[in-house]
Amino acid sequence: MRSRLRSAGLLDIADKLDAGIRLSLEDGVRLFEAGDFLLVGWLANRESEKRNGGRTFYNYNSRIEATNVCVASCLFCSFARLKPGDADAYTMSLDEAWDKLRSRAAQPLTEIHVVNGLHPDLPFSYYTDLLTGFKRIRPNIHLKCFTAVEIAFFADLYQMTDEQVLRELMAAGLDSLPGGGAEIFAERVRQKICHDKCGADRYLDIHRIAHRLGMRSNVTMLYGHIETAEERVDHMLRARTLQDETGGFQAFIPLAFHPDNNQMRKLPAPSAADTLRVHAVARLVLDNVPHIKAFWIATGVEVAQTALWFGADDLDGTVQEEKIYHMAGSRTPEAMTTREIERLIRAAGREPVERDTLYNVVAHAV
Ligand code: V47
């Protein structure tokens, strides 16, 4: 193996990993440029197994996207509709959103994941009532809701600080933040693809505050559009720096760009090889983040399964209702049963472990 690492130009990186020395920006870029991407995967798999053995985590969750009305104009987005009256624009009444959860009363769900558009006309009470209602229906459900971009939008719209918004949502039942909205932290890219939503520093600061208030969160990276390898690694390093400070990130989630029905539709989707490599480099660079998630809706089921040997140890979950990726061309199913998830994990030679949002193992009575 050492001679293969040497001829791939990766021996010094392997030695650093063995010695517990952190990878630099330049190391990360070299991992993206190395020809032998199976070797990059092998290195990432070693790191993954050190942390998680052969275990692959998933959860029993469901999504609710309560509105797609959004004032932001992100070029990659196929989900948002700018005005409430636009064709396909929708906003669920609170009862419609709660009914989604009521209709799943027979399912042993542990998590509801809510991401919405940035709706200009709803009162703040819509969001607090949404959460209180979910908890009334299922007191033990974990509510992972609203990206940092939504939190920033609420603060500006309802004239509160980011911390006040987080505190009020927590008082209404919010348990953690999902990682969406991170895109690519580099200003050059943000200016081009999502110039009118909260910037990288504020995104990270909202996660910093959330962690200080006792919540956990995830961090995503939207890749495969106009970003460079250096900007990918810079993104990972910014997440790593905040993680050194707070320890509050649970998972890093690479999100493959889907080009259908959006303003970047001329770009090709990232290849399977690129997707596998991004998960691997994330595992190698983000030495302090416990989990790398291959979100099967974004990668495709087969690539997610393969990513379990390229540094990923988590598949997200059953999902059940998904619009953001399906409106952008994802051809995966919108849901998988726990049996299907377990089968595909076992078929990849890994051990499935059902977790809750905080990575506690879930054991069902038999
Ligand atoms: O923020 C939008 C991305 C994100 C496209 O925290 C697109 O557990 C690809 O954040 N092609 C929302 N990506 C999804 C998300 C997420 C997913 C899974 C797990 C978690 C978690 C969070 O989806 C957005 C944006 O980055 N997105 N449009 C598109 N066309």
Side-chain angles (χ1 to χ4, degrees):
M1 192 49 81
R2 284 186 76 76
S3 71
R4 186 168 163 190
L5 284 162
R6 188 175 296 108
S7 55
L10 296 176
L11 187 57
D12 60 324
I13 291 184
D15 286 342
K16 268 188 166 179
L17 292 165
D18 283 338
I21 299 170
R22 300 195 122 170
L23 301 189
S24 64
L25 178 74
E26 191 228 329
D27 294 331
V29 172
R30 277 169 56 211
L31 288 165
F32 273 116
E33 287 168 354
D36 190 343
F37 92 100
L38 286 181
L39 202 51
V40 177
W42 180 80
L43 287 170
N45 186 53
R46 276 195 330 176
E47 294 305 312
S48 178
E49 289 185 359
K50 270 186 217 163
R51 289 164 177 82
N52 298 299
R55 289 178 300 166
T56 295
F57 298 94
Y58 71 92
N59 72 347
Y60 204 135
N61 62 354
S62 183
R63 290 185 174 235
I64 296 177
E65 287 135 353
T67 179
N68 66 349
V69 173
C70 188
V71 296
S73 47
C74 304
L75 298 192
F76 53 81
C77 188
S78 317
F79 169 70
R81 295 294 176 268
L82 289 189
K83 287 191 290 305
D86 284 355
D88 306 328
Y90 73 88
T91 301
M92 293 178 194
S93 68
L94 288 169
D95 251 316
E96 281 168 338
W98 295 330
D99 272 347
K100 296 262 174 202
L101 182 55
R102 287 193 194 104
S103 70
R104 300 196 185 282
Q107 295 184 348
L109 283 180
T110 58
E111 172 190 286
I112 292 286
H113 177 146
V114 177
V115 178
N116 296 319
L118 308 179
H119 195 302
D121 302 321
L122 292 170
F124 188 54
S125 58
Y126 177 86
Y127 303 100
T128 48
D129 290 351
L130 185 70
L131 299 176
T132 343
F134 285 149
K135 287 281 184 183
R136 203 166 37 236
I137 297 163
R138 289 281 276 264
N140 294 328
I141 201 94
H142 181 108
L143 298 179
K144 182 178 74 168
C145 310
F146 314 125
T147 65
V149 170
E150 292 169 82
I151 303 296
F153 177 74
F154 297 159
D156 295 345
L157 187 65
Y158 308 117
Q159 297 175 349
M160 290 189 265
T161 64
D162 296 343
E163 179 162 344
Q164 277 168 337
V165 172
L166 287 169
R167 283 185 183 279
E168 295 213 12
L169 292 172
M170 285 172 80
L174 181 69
D175 293 305
S176 67
L177 296 184
E183 322 317 357
I184 289 281
F185 290 142
E187 193 53 26
R188 181 194 77 86
V189 179
R190 285 193 104 71
Q191 275 307 322
K192 292 203 165 121
I193 69 170
C194 56
H195 68 96
D196 56 359
K197 73 180 185 191
C198 115
D201 288 344
R202 190 160 177 203
Y203 174 98
L204 288 165
D205 196 48
I206 288 169
H207 283 266
R208 178 183 287 110
I209 299 167
H211 297 166
R212 174 161 55 74
L213 296 179
M215 284 195 289
R216 296 294 167 126
S217 68
N218 294 328
V219 52
T220 57
M221 179 177 85
L222 179 71
Y223 67 91
H225 43 94
I226 60 161
E227 83 290 357
T228 63
E230 191 167 333
E231 284 160 345
R232 289 177 178 184
V233 183
D234 167 72
H235 184 98
M236 294 174 192
L237 293 179
R238 292 204 214 184
R240 188 172 83 179
T241 302
L242 179 58
Q243 182 72 343
D244 280 342
E245 194 185 315
T246 67
F249 286 132
Q250 304 201 101
F252 183 82
I253 311 162
L255 295 172
F257 168 60
H258 280 56
D260 287 4
N261 308 316
N262 58 54
Q263 294 180 69
M264 299 208 289
R265 61 186 162 269
K266 295 223 167 85
L267 296 177
S271 66
D274 194 24
T275 288
L276 293 171
R277 192 192 293 257
V278 171
H279 287 77
V281 178
R283 179 63 289 160
L284 292 168
V285 171
L286 287 159
D287 55 4
N288 55 0
V289 175
H291 303 284
I292 303 295
K293 187 188 279 191
F295 180 43
W296 58 269
I297 297 262
T299 59
V301 173
E302 293 80 2
V303 178
Q305 194 181 28
T306 315
L308 302 181
W309 290 91
F310 281 77
D313 63 280
D314 190 292
L315 286 183
D316 198 86
T318 49
V319 181
Q320 310 210 63
E321 284 200 29
E322 202 289 323
K323 296 193 178 62
I324 297 174
Y325 283 85
H326 287 86
M327 289 168 86
S330 171
R331 281 181 250 303
T332 65
E334 267 194 66
M336 273 205 283
T337 62
T338 53
R339 184 191 284 253
E340 284 167 326
I341 296 176
E342 295 217 347
R343 192 172 48 78
L344 78 87
I345 294 171
R346 283 212 179 84
R350 297 306 208 183
E351 179 201 342
V353 177
E354 186 182 337
R355 61 161 176 88
D356 65 14
T357 314
L358 302 175
Y359 288 83
N360 300 303
V361 174
V362 174
H364 293 291
V366 268

